[in-house]
Amino acid sequence: MNARNYIKLEFPSKSINEGFARSTVACFAAQLDPTLEELGDIKTAVSEAVTNATVHAYPDTIGKIMLRAKLTADNGIEIVVRDTGAGIPDIDKARAPMFTTGGEERSGMGFTIMESFMDTLRIRSVAGRGTTVTMRKKISMRIGKP
């Protein structure tokens, strides 16, 4: 799939940047004319991915989060959130609902939420080297839209 348009962002893993990332991707995705529900799904998934990187990749320090998004020829969006932090030793375990390494205040539902709101979710990680989360969502074509 060739990209019709793309963005690249890099920001510190500060919790205040989660809202910035979510809003930026939502504005970018608006080019596809998504429904409010589709836009909400994208915003929620981005929030979860960035929050996971902030909380789990860099638990005791501030690191870098890289976010890329591209519009695809099939009227979709691909979003990649990458960090170079702690990594995930067991991805299958981390994907299980209610599993968290973030303490009692965390729900352990981040990957489950991302998976439920996006069409595809792929997670690659190496312990001690970081994690890459790739999410894709196809935006429905509305009647009368070219």
Side-chain angles (χ1 to χ4, degrees):
M1 289 186 260
N2 292 334
R4 292 180 7 201
N5 199 2
Y6 69 92
I7 59 170
K8 291 182 180 183
L9 302 172
E10 181 179 294
F11 48 89
S13 61
K14 296 180 179 183
S15 60
I16 195 165
N17 287 329
E18 174 271 326
F20 169 73
R22 178 184 66 233
S23 297
T24 301
V25 174
C27 289
F28 180 71
Q31 297 172 65
L32 297 173
D33 195 24
T35 64
L36 289 176
E37 181 179 352
E38 290 168 330
L39 200 55
D41 291 352
I42 291 166
K43 289 166 66 174
T44 300
V46 168
S47 291
E48 293 297 329
V50 170
T51 298
N52 273 1
T54 300
V55 171
H56 301 290
Y58 308 108
D60 301 317
T61 187
I62 300 296
K64 278 192 273 186
I65 297 174
M66 288 73 63
L67 186 148
R68 293 186 330 247
K70 68 180 178 180
L71 305 182
T72 59
D74 64 347
N75 207 54
I77 186 167
E78 178 180 280
I79 303 158
V80 178
V81 177
R82 185 169 75 82
D83 66 69
T84 55
I88 303 170
D90 186 338
I91 293 173
D92 290 334
K93 189 174 183 180
R95 286 183 85 145
M98 308 305 286
F99 176 81
T100 184
T101 60
E104 289 182 17
E105 70 277 357
R106 298 289 165 196
S107 70
M109 296 296 291
F111 288 137
T112 302
I113 290 168
M114 286 179 242
E115 196 164 33
S116 69
F117 286 120
M118 302 300 279
D119 295 331
T120 63
L121 172 68
R122 188 177 76 225
I123 305 158
R124 291 183 13 244
S125 189
V126 176
R129 298 195 60 197
T131 301
T132 302
V133 173
T134 303
M135 305 175 282
R136 291 187 178 133
K137 186 168 189 71
K138 188 171 180 183
I139 303 303
S140 57
M141 296 292 283
R142 296 199 225 167
I143 296 173
K145 182 180 166 190

